[in-house]
C-alpha cells in the first residue's frame, strides 16, 4: 500500500524541486532522501520533473518545492532543516495528496475502444 502513492506522484504533482547545500548538517535528511529515493521514484514516475539544485557555498535552509498541476495550479514550498528522510517522504506524500485533491486526473486523448 505504501508504494501506491509513490507510483502516482506524477498524477498529483507536475514538478518537485530540492534546494540544498549538501555539506550542511541541517540538510542531512534531504541529502539522504535524494540518495535513497530519487532513482526509485523517477523510475515509477518518468514524466515527473525532479530538479535537484545544490548550492555548496551557500548557507540557507534546505527546501522542498512542488508545483501542482492543472487550472489554478500553485506552488508549495517547505523548509526542511533537520528533517529526517522519513519526514521528507511524508511531506512529499502530503504535496501529492493536495494535488490529487484538486481533482487532477491523467487521461488518454484516445477514445476507449469497445
Amino acid at each position: 500500500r505504501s508504494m501506491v502513492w509513490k507510483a502516482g506522484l506524477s498524477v498529483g504533482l507536475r514538478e518537485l524541486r530540492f534546494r540544498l547545500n549538501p555539506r550542511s548538517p541541517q540538510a542531512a535528511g534531504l541529502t539522504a532522501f535524494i540518495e535513497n529515493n530519487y532513482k526509485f521514484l523517477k523510475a515509477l514516475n518518468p514524466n515527473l520533473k525532479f530538479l535537484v539544485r545544490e548550492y555548496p557555498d551557500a548557507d540557507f535552509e534546505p527546501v522542498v518545492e512542488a508545483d501542482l498541476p492543472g487550472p489554478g495550479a500553485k506552488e508549495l514550498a517547505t523548509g526542511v532543516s533537520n528533517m529526517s528522510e522519513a519526514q521528507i517522504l511524508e511531506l512529499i506524500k502530503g504535496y501529492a495528496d493536495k494535488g490529487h485533491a484538486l481533482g487532477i486526473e491523467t487521461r488518454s486523448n484516445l477514445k476507449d475502444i469497445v
Side-chain angles (χ1 to χ4, degrees):
R1 174 106 181 138
S2 68
M3 190 171 11
V4 172
W5 73 266
K6 293 175 186 175
L9 276 178
S10 57
V11 176
L13 301 174
R14 192 174 63 193
E15 182 175 296
L16 273 172
R17 291 181 302 280
F18 307 95
R19 293 188 295 124
L20 71 151
N21 175 344
R23 298 179 189 141
S24 170
Q26 57 266 44
L30 183 54
T31 300
F33 170 82
I34 293 166
E35 289 173 352
N36 297 328
N37 294 281
Y38 173 82
K39 286 182 183 179
F40 179 68
L41 292 175
K42 186 63 179 171
L44 291 175
N45 301 276
N47 295 324
L48 180 62
K49 293 180 187 174
F50 282 88
L51 305 174
V52 178
R53 300 287 186 245
E54 293 184 355
Y55 301 91
D57 298 324
D59 185 26
F60 63 87
E61 181 173 24
V63 176
V64 174
E65 300 171 329
D67 288 343
L68 302 181
K74 62 181 183 177
E75 181 179 297
L76 304 172
T78 303
V80 294
S81 281
N82 301 312
M83 287 178 71
S84 70
E85 179 180 346
Q87 289 172 313
I88 292 168
L89 200 56
E90 281 301 310
L91 172 69
I92 292 170
K93 181 182 184 305
Y95 283 175
D97 289 345
K98 287 179 182 179
H100 288 117
L102 291 174
I104 304 302
E105 296 179 7
T106 56
R107 295 177 189 238
S108 170
N109 289 333
L110 301 175
K111 298 193 184 260
D112 290 336
I113 298 173
V114 182

